[in-house]
Amino acid sequence: MRTIDTTFDLNLLRVLVALAATRNVTQAAHALDMSQSGFSTALARLRQVLDDPLFVRTPVGMSPTPRAEQMIATAQGVLSRVTEEVLQKPGFDPATARTVFRLAMADVAEIVFLPRLLQHLQQHAPYATVTCASMETETLKQAMSNGDIDLALGYFPDLDSQSSFQQRLYFHTYACMLRRGHPLAARGVTEKNYSEIGHVVVSSPARTNALFEAFLEKRSIKRRIVLETPHHLSLPAIVESTDLMATVPLATGARFVQLGMVELLRLPFTPPSFAVQQHWHPLVHHDARSQWLRKQVAQLFNVESDEWRELQVALYGRSIRPIAA
């Protein structure tokens, strides 16, 4: 079996190509930003390795030998491929890319992010496909480290800066949701009737649920739970057809209101708030495709473009500041 010489210095190919282009040692050294003596030393090494003079002095300059003539085109191709495929940072053209963006988010976040994000991608990345998954924290960390998830969107307090990069998009809070025409819609919700009314509670991996539950427990606020469900998407139909109440993230409730089935009311206390963020693994931090996706998300969802900020002010009289559970 033929052994491959792994000690060959590929930089010597640059010497070969430069001298072939200029036919002059001084000009070739200048082109490579080398001293003339350094260039001559490198040329001598190349001659020794290949056991061929490669270039000889003639009246028209340094002319390549037949061995050098055979090597020049190959050396140019090798250096070109190294420049284009190794040294040059890969680009990303969203207009032509056939790619799959793999996102992690809870169903409650899908309601908020996907309509606007998909509309944007259809205009700017028409051949892209989006897949979504909802995962427990440890599974999500593993999926991000494997490159199986490009971006996690929403509230993920367990994805710390040690395991992922993160960018805050905006702060968010909660509201309560009732059917249209519910008696409390006119009277308003007090702490007393909030505790007495029947509640629908979502028990899903969404960390916003855990945050709100911890908030209630810390303040000894009790609820009469009538139904627990793992799904946010069933809430409008349940609330619309009953006198039950559901407490949901504000943006989710606002989407349900657009269906014309329910209405939102302020909670009878200042609710907790949480940072909505995008998270990504260091594995894709410098990847052009991931950078483009993160830029689109940051432009679509941020403090300035927060379409729910006015609703927060209308319900609570001011923009919600971060309040821990």
Side-chain angles (χ1 to χ4, degrees):
M1 175 183 248
R2 183 180 178 184
T3 59
I4 299 174
D5 184 2
T6 59
T7 63
F8 181 77
D9 185 355
L10 291 179
N11 282 316
L12 296 178
L13 296 182
R14 299 171 65 238
V15 171
L16 178 74
V17 170
L19 191 52
T22 62
R23 304 297 176 97
N24 182 283
V25 171
T26 301
Q27 292 177 12
H30 179 74
L32 297 181
D33 197 22
M34 297 174 66
S35 67
Q36 186 167 332
S37 62
F39 185 92
S40 297
T41 300
L43 179 59
R45 287 177 56 206
L46 185 60
R47 284 168 166 166
Q48 182 179 13
V49 169
L50 299 177
D51 192 24
D52 190 275
L54 298 176
F55 291 88
V56 295
R57 196 176 302 280
T58 70
V60 295
M62 299 294 288
S63 296
T65 66
R67 177 75 185 277
E69 288 280 11
Q70 292 177 346
M71 293 176 57
I72 289 169
T74 300
Q76 289 172 333
V78 169
L79 294 176
S80 177
R81 288 193 63 184
V82 169
T83 298
E84 294 176 2
E85 301 177 21
V86 178
L87 300 180
Q88 185 173 326
K89 184 177 180 179
F92 176 71
D93 182 5
T96 59
R98 297 182 181 275
T99 188
V100 179
F101 292 123
R102 295 154 299 194
L103 309 179
M105 63 181 86
D107 66 336
V108 65
E110 288 187 18
I111 299 168
V112 176
F113 285 109
L114 288 184
R116 199 192 307 179
L117 180 59
L118 288 174
Q119 183 182 42
H120 181 83
L121 291 179
Q122 286 173 350
Q123 294 177 1
H124 300 281
Y127 302 107
T129 300
V130 176
T131 65
C132 293
S134 178
M135 303 176 180
E136 298 287 354
T137 300
E138 291 307 314
T139 305
L140 175 56
K141 287 181 179 180
Q142 186 64 44
M144 293 174 71
S145 67
N146 291 341
D148 294 332
I149 291 294
D150 296 309
L151 206 59
L153 291 173
Y155 176 62
F156 295 95
D158 301 318
L159 289 181
D160 54 36
S161 58
Q162 300 300 315
S163 60
S164 68
F165 288 99
Q166 51 195 264
Q167 180 185 19
R168 188 177 69 215
L169 303 174
Y170 54 86
F171 287 105
H172 207 54
T173 190
Y174 303 82
C176 54
M177 190 170 70
L178 294 166
R179 66 172 173 81
R180 298 179 66 181
H182 192 287
L184 290 185
R187 289 158 36 202
V189 182
T190 65
E191 288 198 32
K192 184 176 184 298
N193 56 38
Y194 184 82
S195 297
E196 293 174 347
I197 193 172
H199 286 261
V200 184
V201 173
V202 177
S203 54
S204 76
R207 299 293 281 119
T208 52
N209 299 332
L211 174 68
F212 191 73
E213 293 295 334
F215 173 85
L216 295 181
E217 182 177 356
K218 185 175 181 179
R219 286 155 181 77
S220 300
I221 299 174
K222 304 295 184 182
R223 288 180 298 178
R224 184 171 64 86
I225 298 174
V226 174
L227 171 68
E228 287 193 31
T229 174
H231 308 294
H232 281 90
L233 294 180
S234 61
L235 292 181
I238 294 169
V239 170
E240 181 204 27
S241 59
T242 67
D243 283 334
L244 300 177
M245 173 186 290
T247 301
V248 294
L250 186 64
T252 306
R255 292 289 186 220
F256 290 153
V257 168
Q258 291 175 352
L259 300 176
M261 303 165 67
V262 297
E263 56 183 297
L264 291 183
L265 281 78
R266 72 184 308 277
L267 287 159
F269 41 78
T270 302
S273 60
F274 54 92
V276 176
Q277 302 190 111
Q278 58 175 337
H279 302 257
W280 62 97
H281 195 270
L283 186 72
V284 297
H285 183 61
H286 296 287
D287 178 64
R289 171 180 163 279
S290 177
Q291 289 177 337
W292 183 85
L293 177 61
R294 300 192 311 258
K295 182 179 179 181
Q296 309 315 300
V297 170
Q299 290 176 343
L300 290 171
F301 306 97
N302 54 67
V303 173
E304 288 72 25
S305 66
D306 183 358
E307 62 182 285
W308 306 284
R309 182 168 47 184
E310 289 186 7
L311 181 56
Q312 286 185 6
V313 174
L315 291 178
Y316 298 105
R318 59 181 175 83
S319 293
I320 295 294
R321 302 295 301 170
I323 302 172

